[in-house]
Amino acid sequence: MSGTTSDPFDSQTEQRLHFKSDWHRFNIKLRSAGRAAVDEAEFEQLVSEKDEVSSISGSDTDSDDESSSSKQVVTQKSSQLMFKNQEGRVFAVWRPVLISEQDSRSIPDVELLQRLITLTDSAQSWVVILSKGGHFSAAVFDLRPVPPSQHSKANAPLFKELAHKSYHRYVVRAKAGGRQSAKDATGKSIKSAGAQIRRYNEAALEKEIKDTLASWQQLLARADRIFVQASVSNARPIYGGDDAALQRHDPRIRSIPFNTRRPTFSEAKRVLYTLLSVFEPSSHALQALADRSKAAVSKPAKPPSRKEDAVASLEPEPQAPTEPDPPLHEAAKAGDADKVKSLLEAGTNPCEADSRGKVPYDVAADKAVRDAFRRFMASQPDKWDYTLAGVPSPLTDELESQQLAKQAEKKARQREKEKERKRAAAEKKAKAAEGARAAAEAEVATAAAEAAALEE
């Protein structure tokens, strides 16, 4: 029996599958928000009506405009582009927002700045497409600012969704991992019931994605940017086939330059918020950038000899030095929950991403560190945009007490079950011994009777 359903489970396998289901996760989010759980029928209805299984929460966007006297500071090979204005203030934007993947030329700083100004001044329509592990979510957003009179909440989003759709199908092989089609490609013919279900679901998911994108043909044609996060196998329904709604060489299509979580409508909105953000790089990132610039200036390149050129062609290219992590990222990676708590209480921003686009919660080493973020969210619910910070839900004292009580109850059931198993094993052993003793006595009696008959 689960905390979100009163129906007993027939086996441990069924129980584990329930805990991994989106229905169970959805009810956990409802309980955290103080709302009643829903049964499976209600959940399926919500999924069909809302096209998603996660809670929806809005947050504010943050965009800044700089004067035309700004100039670029770093090279264009990074996932971020940094600019510096006349006052010496450095700010950054994500590279795919301004530069397409097909544009391999070196773009002048003035042109990049003009693109940024044009981007902030003109009305834009952006599309976010996420596909991973049988989960798919896509949304079309109108970035024209929503007038304050049209929304009632102070933290309402400053854009509106023109269309969105989410799907989930069971296509990944449990424990073994990987899609069923990838296993079939090895030449092995698996005829189990699970394999047949996964093959059907893959075909159904591919059809659902194609149908959705086809129905959005006009919206996609008007889109200024299309951001896609999908592996080669997951991207087949998006680009594959003669009737594909999108083409890979389309200059509007950009890869998302940071890690994303399970594809849902909420995650698509979080990705959009992150792409729209104009942020100040951390002091660690700026110091590392300055060190690299000094090293490049102090060591002028000299033309290599033929021998050096031949040797260099056989050696791997040296990796660029990595930027040091901000303090909150370091504490989260190290598993230091106390330091994470003290940094958050001191005002450290949990929404700040590192050079790879990861927020501190994404790099947390263990559950204790993640719980530290969730406890801070419970104590300071309005201090930060926790959707952007990646913190899923607050962890209150009441919820912790319920979790501890459930764990204690679970352990008690396990102990009782183990006692019952040992008692049944002992009874079975005693019954077997009694049967063996009775058989031995019967054999002795038979032998005695045969001996007595021979004497007569």
Side-chain angles (χ1 to χ4, degrees):
M1 185 178 296
S2 164
T4 59
T5 176
S6 58
D7 298 330
F9 299 107
D10 296 332
S11 64
Q12 290 184 349
T13 302
E14 183 181 352
Q15 184 180 19
R16 285 194 294 269
L17 290 175
H18 169 74
F19 285 140
K20 293 179 181 180
S21 67
D22 289 327
W23 173 34
H24 176 72
R25 296 189 185 94
F26 185 72
N27 278 331
I28 291 295
K29 290 186 177 182
L30 291 179
R31 289 287 180 84
S32 300
R35 298 164 59 186
V38 299
D39 58 26
E40 190 170 8
E42 293 173 334
F43 172 73
E44 293 296 337
Q45 183 178 1
L46 287 173
V47 170
S48 61
E49 291 177 354
K50 295 186 177 181
D51 300 325
E52 66 163 332
V53 294
S54 61
S55 60
I56 300 176
S57 60
S59 60
D60 296 329
T61 59
D62 182 17
S63 60
D64 300 317
D65 294 337
E66 293 293 345
S67 64
S68 59
S69 60
S70 302
K71 70 175 184 178
Q72 190 178 353
V73 177
V74 298
T75 61
Q76 300 175 13
K77 294 183 178 180
S78 171
S79 62
Q80 300 175 4
L81 296 174
M82 297 186 193
F83 296 84
K84 187 176 183 179
N85 62 9
Q86 289 181 337
E87 290 77 21
R89 180 185 177 188
V90 178
F91 61 95
V93 296
W94 293 104
R95 171 190 168 89
V97 172
L98 299 181
I99 303 176
S100 68
E101 297 175 2
Q102 288 77 17
D103 199 346
S104 58
R105 63 187 177 91
S106 179
I107 304 175
D109 298 340
V110 177
E111 182 178 344
L112 281 176
L113 181 60
Q114 187 60 39
R115 290 186 183 185
L116 182 60
I117 295 174
T118 304
L119 186 69
T120 56
D121 291 342
S122 61
Q124 300 281 325
S125 174
W126 286 9
V127 180
V128 176
I129 300 176
L130 309 172
S131 182
K132 179 169 59 177
H135 294 264
F136 173 84
S137 183
V140 183
F141 299 98
D142 184 357
L143 302 189
R144 289 176 296 182
V146 178
S149 60
Q150 295 185 14
H151 54 74
S152 57
K153 296 183 179 179
N155 63 342
L158 301 181
F159 56 83
K160 63 179 180 179
E161 306 88 17
L162 300 179
H164 64 87
K165 202 73 174 177
S166 298
Y167 299 108
H168 170 52
R169 292 276 186 173
Y170 166 55
V171 300
V172 177
R173 301 165 63 235
K175 297 184 179 179
R179 284 174 170 255
Q180 185 62 44
S181 58
K183 188 67 175 178
D184 294 341
T186 62
K188 296 182 179 180
S189 178
I190 302 176
K191 299 180 180 180
S192 65
Q196 297 293 343
I197 292 173
R198 289 188 292 270
R199 292 188 187 100
Y200 170 80
N201 285 342
E202 282 197 45
L205 180 61
E206 183 170 344
K207 184 178 184 303
E208 289 170 342
I209 294 174
K210 282 182 173 292
D211 292 345
T212 297
L213 297 180
S215 66
W216 291 358
Q217 186 174 4
Q218 294 183 356
L219 294 174
L220 295 176
R222 294 196 301 264
D224 299 284
R225 301 282 192 279
I226 302 175
F227 296 93
V228 180
Q229 182 80 295
S231 64
V232 175
S233 59
N234 289 317
R236 186 171 61 245
I238 302 173
Y239 304 116
D242 298 334
D243 57 343
L246 297 174
Q247 302 297 327
R248 289 183 182 273
H249 55 76
D250 191 331
R252 300 174 302 161
I253 295 179
R254 319 286 171 90
S255 296
I256 298 174
F258 46 82
N259 291 338
T260 60
R261 296 189 286 271
R262 171 176 290 182
T264 61
F265 181 43
S266 294
E267 177 63 8
K269 292 198 295 184
R270 188 190 73 86
V271 168
L272 180 65
Y273 282 125
T274 306
L275 290 170
L276 287 172
S277 61
V278 178
F279 51 93
E280 293 186 4
S282 65
S283 57
H284 300 273
L286 293 175
Q287 184 61 42
L289 175 64
D291 294 342
R292 289 202 301 272
S293 301
K294 290 179 181 178
V297 172
S298 61
K299 295 181 180 180
K302 63 178 182 178
S305 63
R306 291 185 178 181
K307 183 177 180 181
E308 291 174 343
D309 194 14
V311 173
S313 64
L314 299 176
E315 295 177 352
E317 296 183 1
Q319 298 292 328
T322 58
E323 299 176 357
D325 292 324
L328 189 56
H329 287 76
E330 290 181 355
K333 282 184 178 179
D336 193 341
D338 294 334
K339 188 173 182 180
V340 167
K341 178 183 177 182
S342 61
L343 288 172
L344 290 173
E345 292 175 348
T348 305
N349 186 359
C351 305
E352 179 185 359
D354 59 11
S355 58
R356 294 169 297 173
K358 292 186 176 181
V359 293
Y361 188 86
D362 290 337
V363 299
D366 50 32
K367 185 176 182 296
V369 175
R370 291 191 291 272
D371 287 348
F373 283 99
R374 295 178 61 196
R375 292 191 189 98
F376 183 79
M377 178 181 178
S379 61
Q380 301 285 342
D382 301 324
K383 187 173 180 62
W384 302 105
D385 179 1
Y386 294 99
T387 301
L388 189 59
V391 184
S393 59
L395 182 60
T396 61
D397 293 339
E398 180 182 0
L399 185 58
E400 282 192 276
S401 301
Q402 292 177 357
Q403 291 178 349
L404 292 175
K406 288 181 180 178
Q407 291 177 0
E409 183 180 353
K410 180 180 178 180
K411 288 181 179 180
R413 289 198 305 268
Q414 290 176 342
R415 287 194 298 267
E416 186 63 29
K417 189 174 181 179
E418 182 65 17
K419 288 180 181 179
E420 183 65 26
R421 187 190 65 79
K422 290 182 178 180
R423 184 162 49 248
E427 292 177 356
K428 183 178 180 180
K429 185 176 180 180
K431 189 177 295 185
E434 181 66 25
R437 184 166 53 252
E441 291 176 354
E443 187 176 354
V444 170
T446 301
E450 290 178 354
L454 291 175
E455 291 179 356
E456 293 177 358

